[in-house]
């Protein structure tokens, strides 16, 4: 873990390194876990406060809930993700991807899936061609699809982004759980 | 003049001679040179001797190990010495690293070529030593490694070699003069000093030294390092070895986390009507008892606003004096200097508020429990029951 600490000081140079030509190997490539300590309580509180503020706006907008569409859940989720990405301060690729494309990321995903299914249905696959993609690479591709903005990323960078993303998601789950429990706990007793 | 040095070497044993002794011997040798030689050679040697004296004395203890490697060689190569007294000294002064750049080299370049050549060929007799020291694999690898200067990965095996490599790289003003030798490592030395982005790698003992395999190895080590971090992060991955299984677990975990977030967001959306008027109060109560100064980024004003609303609630003495000591503790926590590091403040706030009342302690415990246990797939029901008490108090205070 000492290598993590040594990489922490090179975080500032990451944007610089990205501008360098790809031939150059980067010294002390930033290890994302040190960028934002997602496990610390303070980070969680920062996130919770920002989330609360953001959710207030969203829910006020949807307070007389339009009965036709029930997309409040999706909006909540998108705001939560965006607040998470904002808390990440844009140092990681997935946070930048979330912030850059707020327009119905999930809808686009569904469209992508439909297109892909249609395409693969037409192409004939013999059993030999399936073996061309080694198992690890297939899984790496799946992981790349899961982590936002990391589809065409090299394997080691993908693992880094995944590390940061996982710890960020864990913090998000913790914060949202606490928030819902506070709110639902309050509601149940106000009504009683 | 040579005899004194040789006798010193033979008297003490090449391996046993300490660096200082060696250096002293060399200084004596130089003094001998100064005394006996006149003209160009003596001037060069005197300049070199002055330089070498300065440099030798400033040798840091960390370099000693590597200097031992370097200084062992001249002891064994007793034969070429008679030709190379001055040249050897110049070579010796150029080898230690971390020194201020030596004075400009004397005009004739060929002695320097011979220098660098000698300092490398002097490593040849070493494998015959069979000391069992770690210098022999080092020198074995040095020869083959010169054409390869690729990335570096810090490891225990390579520590000394990294230092030696650094020794090679830092004295670039001297090395630039020796570039006529056309050594690959020299070119890479100048490259490294101009473009410090390159990481240097040395081949480990018993492994292929092909540049491709070196690069592959570094890449593999990077990947395995990151997989290790992921293994720590993802629960239940300790038993699984192998990239494919690990990736499976990671994918499952990310999917489960994303599903949890969706579920929670649905829940939050359903909570809707409550949010309009109550979120400020609830949030104040949630945030504030935990730690007042935990939002230094947000600024002091929201922190001041929250306690104001909170204390407002407390002024009507509806609740017993159990809450009042809590007030005092909270005021103490407000006045705590915000400049203190955040984590320290967290702990201090907790410790201050602990003795005050059970309400505070319960809520704090539940808060931390909520944070720690929320990772579980099933939201524990005890959280709900536990939260009933503080919620009762909250409702009381609202009235």
């Amino acid at each position: 873990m000492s290598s993590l600490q040594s990489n922490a000081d090179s975080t500032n140079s990451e944007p610089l390194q990205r501008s360098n030509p790809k031939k150059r190997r980067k010294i002390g490539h930033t290890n994302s876990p040190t960028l934002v300590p997602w496990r610390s309580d303070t980070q969680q509180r920062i996130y919770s406060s920002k989330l609360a503020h953001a959710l207030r706006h969203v829910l006020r907008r949807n307070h007389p809930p339009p009965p036709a569409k029930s997309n409040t859940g999706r909006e909540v989720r998108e705001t939560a993700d965006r607040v998470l990405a904002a808390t990440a301060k844009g140092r990681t690729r997935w946070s930048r991807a979330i912030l850059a494309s707020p327009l119905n990321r999930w809808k686009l995903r569904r469209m992508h899936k439909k297109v892909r299914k249609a395409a693969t249905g037409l192409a004939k696959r013999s059993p030999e061609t399936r073996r061309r993609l080694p198992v690890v690479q297939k899984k790496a591709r799946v992981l790349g699809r899961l982590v936002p903005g990391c589809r065409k990323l090299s394997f080691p960078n993908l693992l880094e982004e995944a590390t940061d993303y996982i710890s960020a998601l864990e913090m998000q789950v913790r914060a949202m759980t606490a928030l819902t429990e506070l709110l639902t706990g309050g509601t149940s007793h106000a009504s009683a | 003049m040579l005899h004194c040095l040789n006798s010193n070497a033979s008297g003490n044993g090449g391996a046993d001679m300490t660096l200082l002794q060696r250096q002293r011997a060399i200084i004596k040798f130089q003094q001998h040179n100064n005394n006996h030689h006149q003209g160009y050679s003596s001037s060069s040697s005197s300049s070199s001797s002055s330089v070498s004296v300065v440099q030798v004395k400033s040798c840091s203890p960390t370099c000693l190990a590597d200097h031992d490697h370097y200084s062992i060689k001249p002891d064994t190569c007793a034969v070429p010495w008679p030709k190379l007294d001055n040249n050897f000294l110049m070579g010796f002064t150029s080898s230690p690293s971390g020194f201020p750049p030596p004075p400009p080299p004397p005009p004739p370049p060929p002695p320097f070529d011979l220098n660098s050549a000698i300092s490398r060929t002097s490593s040849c007799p070493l494998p015959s030593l069979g000391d069992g020291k770690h210098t022999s694999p080092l020198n074995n690898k040095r020869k083959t490694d010169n054409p390869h200067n690729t990335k570096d990965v810090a490891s225990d095996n390579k520590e000394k070699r990294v230092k030696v490599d650094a020794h090679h790289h830092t004295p670039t003003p001297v090395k630039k003069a020796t570039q006529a030798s056309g050594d690959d490592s020299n070119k890479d030395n100048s490259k490294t000093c101009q473009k410090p982005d390159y990481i240097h790698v040395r081949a480990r003992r018993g492994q292929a030294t092909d540049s491709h395999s070196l690069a592959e190895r570094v890449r593999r080590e990077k990947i395995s390092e990151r997989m290790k971090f992921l293994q720590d992060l993802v629960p239940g991955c300790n038993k699984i070895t192998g990239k494919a299984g690990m990736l499976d677990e990671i994918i499952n975990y990310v999917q489960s986390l994303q599903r949890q977030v969706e579920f929670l967001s649905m829940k939050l959306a359903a909570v809707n009507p409550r949010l309009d008027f109550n979120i400020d109060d609830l949030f104040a109560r949630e945030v504030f008892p935990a730690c007042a100064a935990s939002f230094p980024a947000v600024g002091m004003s929201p922190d001041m606003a929250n306690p104001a609303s909170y204390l407002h609630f407390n002024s009507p003495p509806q609740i017993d004096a159990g809450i009042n000591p809590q007030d005092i503790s909270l005021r103490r926590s407000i006045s705590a200097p915000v400049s203190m590091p955040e984590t320290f403040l967290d702990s201090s706030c907790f410790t201050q508020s602990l003795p005050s009342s059970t309400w505070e302690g319960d809520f704090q415990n539940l808060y931390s429990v909520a944070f720690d246990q929320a990772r579980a797939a099933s939201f524990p029901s005890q959280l709900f029951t536990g939260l009933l008490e503080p919620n009762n108090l909250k409702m009381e205070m609202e009235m």
Side-chain angles (χ1 to χ4, degrees):
Chain A
M1 292 294 256
S2 59
S3 59
L4 280 185
Q5 312 304 326
S6 62
N7 284 331
D9 52 3
S10 55
T11 55
N12 292 333
S13 56
E14 188 184 349
L16 263 181
Q17 287 170 349
R18 284 190 191 273
S19 61
N20 284 344
K22 282 190 185 172
K23 260 199 258 172
R24 298 228 187 113
R25 313 267 175 177
K26 297 157 189 146
I27 276 190
H29 181 76
T30 57
N31 257 323
S32 334
T34 55
L35 291 180
V36 186
W38 292 108
R39 286 197 177 165
S40 68
D41 268 353
T42 51
Q43 275 296 324
Q44 189 156 353
R45 282 183 204 120
I46 293 172
Y47 177 68
S48 311
S49 61
K50 288 189 187 169
L51 184 64
H53 285 287
L55 280 180
R56 222 180 299 160
H57 293 294
V58 174
L59 293 169
R60 233 168 241 160
R61 207 188 311 142
N62 285 354
H63 179 35
K69 348 175 194 172
S70 54
N71 57 354
T72 319
R74 200 190 319 140
E75 283 188 30
V76 169
R77 182 183 176 158
E78 281 177 11
T79 30
D81 283 342
R82 249 178 287 154
V83 174
L84 187 69
T87 318
K89 292 174 191 158
R91 279 191 215 132
T92 46
R93 204 181 170 89
W94 59 265
S95 57
R96 287 193 288 267
I98 291 180
L99 291 172
S101 68
L103 310 168
N104 296 329
R105 208 158 52 90
W106 297 95
K107 273 192 187 167
L108 281 173
R109 257 205 197 184
R110 286 175 207 160
M111 281 168 56
H112 271 291
K113 282 185 188 167
K114 285 184 190 168
V115 166
R116 209 167 287 152
K117 277 184 191 166
T120 53
L122 293 175
K124 282 188 184 175
R125 288 276 167 97
S126 60
E128 301 145 17
T129 53
R130 254 181 252 153
R131 244 182 278 148
R132 274 187 202 160
L133 288 176
V135 181
V136 177
Q137 282 186 18
K138 258 194 253 175
K139 299 193 177 160
R141 227 162 268 197
V142 173
L143 188 60
R145 264 183 273 141
L146 277 179
V147 182
C150 295
R151 279 176 205 229
K152 295 190 176 179
L153 209 55
S154 64
F155 192 52
N157 294 335
L158 179 63
L159 288 179
E160 250 191 63
E161 293 287 328
T163 318
D164 198 47
Y165 188 58
I166 284 177
S167 32
L169 274 183
E170 282 176 1
M171 193 217 68
Q172 187 181 25
V173 166
R174 286 196 296 257
M176 286 177 75
T177 318
L179 202 56
T180 48
E181 306 222 336
L182 273 177
L183 296 176
T184 53
T187 7
S188 63
H189 277 271
S191 57
Chain B
M1 40 208 170
L2 277 175
H3 300 305
C4 59
L5 197 53
N6 281 336
S7 61
N8 279 340
S10 57
N12 301 341
D16 297 340
M17 216 172 157
T18 62
L19 179 62
L20 275 177
Q21 286 173 332
R22 220 169 269 132
Q23 289 165 354
R24 275 182 221 138
I26 288 166
I27 293 167
K28 277 188 212 166
F29 174 59
Q30 289 172 359
Q31 287 170 354
H32 270 286
N33 266 348
N34 286 339
N35 293 337
H36 291 283
H37 295 289
Q38 303 296 326
Y40 171 73
S41 59
S42 70
S43 64
S44 66
S45 64
S46 61
S47 61
S48 69
S49 67
S50 56
V51 166
S52 64
V53 163
V54 166
Q55 291 175 345
V56 151
K57 282 183 182 168
S58 63
C59 185
S60 64
T62 55
C63 304
L64 274 181
D66 300 2
H67 283 300
D68 277 336
H69 305 328
Y70 276 95
S71 44
I72 282 174
K73 296 171 221 149
D75 280 337
T76 57
C77 308
V79 174
W81 265 17
K83 313 175 201 164
L84 297 168
D85 45 5
N86 290 334
N87 297 333
F88 162 70
L89 287 170
M90 298 307 280
F92 184 77
T93 57
S94 69
S95 55
S97 80
F99 292 162
F112 278 90
D113 288 333
L114 207 50
N115 235 354
S116 54
I118 288 300
S119 60
R120 270 170 200 87
T121 54
S122 62
S123 69
C124 299
L126 265 186
S128 62
L129 270 182
D131 272 339
K133 278 192 178 183
H134 48 263
T135 56
S136 44
L138 174 77
N139 289 317
N140 279 338
K141 288 304 169 191
R142 270 191 63 228
K143 268 190 278 180
T144 53
D145 220 356
N146 282 332
H148 314 295
N149 254 328
T150 51
K151 303 133 313 225
D152 189 4
V153 176
S155 68
D156 292 341
N157 294 342
K158 295 182 188 169
E159 245 181 49
K160 296 230 165 88
R161 296 162 201 173
V162 170
K163 274 190 196 164
V164 170
D165 219 10
H167 288 312
H168 264 302
H169 299 327
T170 43
T172 36
V174 177
K175 287 287 184 185
K176 274 178 189 165
T178 62
Q179 261 177 7
S181 65
D183 198 69
D184 282 355
S185 63
N186 274 341
K187 289 182 197 156
D188 292 324
N189 288 344
S190 55
K191 261 193 210 169
T192 50
C193 289
Q194 292 160 12
K195 307 171 185 174
D197 287 355
Y198 282 106
I199 310 175
H200 282 266
V201 163
R202 281 201 181 255
R204 281 190 216 153
R205 187 179 188 174
Q207 286 181 339
T209 54
D210 185 23
S211 67
H212 288 297
S213 44
L214 275 177
E216 257 298 309
R217 191 174 311 122
V218 168
R219 178 182 166 271
R220 260 183 275 142
E221 287 181 5
K222 262 200 232 173
I223 288 178
S224 63
E225 194 188 330
R226 285 168 194 169
M227 293 289 277
K228 266 186 245 166
F229 293 143
L230 276 170
Q231 217 174 15
D232 297 332
L233 210 51
V234 177
C237 263
N238 302 326
K239 306 149 196 168
I240 298 178
T241 51
K243 278 190 268 185
M246 276 289 303
L247 278 175
D248 269 337
E249 281 296 320
I250 292 167
I251 289 171
N252 285 337
Y253 191 57
V254 169
Q255 280 174 342
S256 78
L257 282 177
Q258 285 179 341
R259 261 182 272 137
Q260 272 183 9
V261 170
E262 274 215 49
F263 174 70
L264 283 170
S265 64
M266 293 290 187
K267 237 177 149 187
L268 270 178
V271 160
N272 193 6
R274 189 73 176 148
L275 265 177
D276 292 343
F277 48 91
N278 215 13
I279 188 166
D280 288 319
D281 311 333
L282 283 179
F283 199 63
R285 253 166 254 134
E286 171 205 348
V287 170
F288 186 62
C291 184
S294 67
F295 297 88
V298 181
M300 283 305 289
S301 44
D303 287 331
M304 283 302 121
N306 285 338
S309 62
Y310 183 77
L311 291 171
H312 228 322
F313 278 120
N314 273 331
S315 50
Q318 293 171 359
I319 313 197
D320 56 356
I323 298 296
N324 288 334
Q326 178 194 343
D327 270 348
I328 300 167
S329 70
L330 290 168
R331 276 188 209 125
R332 256 187 274 131
S333 61
I334 298 171
S335 56
V338 188
S339 57
M340 287 162 63
E342 294 176 352
T343 51
F344 180 69
L345 260 179
D346 286 346
S347 56
S348 67
C349 285
F350 280 134
T351 50
Q352 276 178 2
S353 53
L354 264 176
S356 58
S357 69
T358 55
W359 182 87
E360 183 63 40
D362 273 348
F363 187 71
Q364 164 212 319
N365 286 336
L366 287 162
Y367 197 58
S368 54
V369 161
F371 284 166
D372 296 335
Q373 290 188 358
R375 199 186 288 196
S378 63
F379 301 118
S381 56
Q382 61 205 14
L383 278 174
F384 288 101
T385 54
L387 270 172
L388 288 180
E389 293 171 324
N391 285 329
N392 284 335
L393 288 171
K394 274 188 227 168
M395 294 307 116
E396 278 179 305
M397 288 166 68
E398 278 178 6
M399 297 162 60

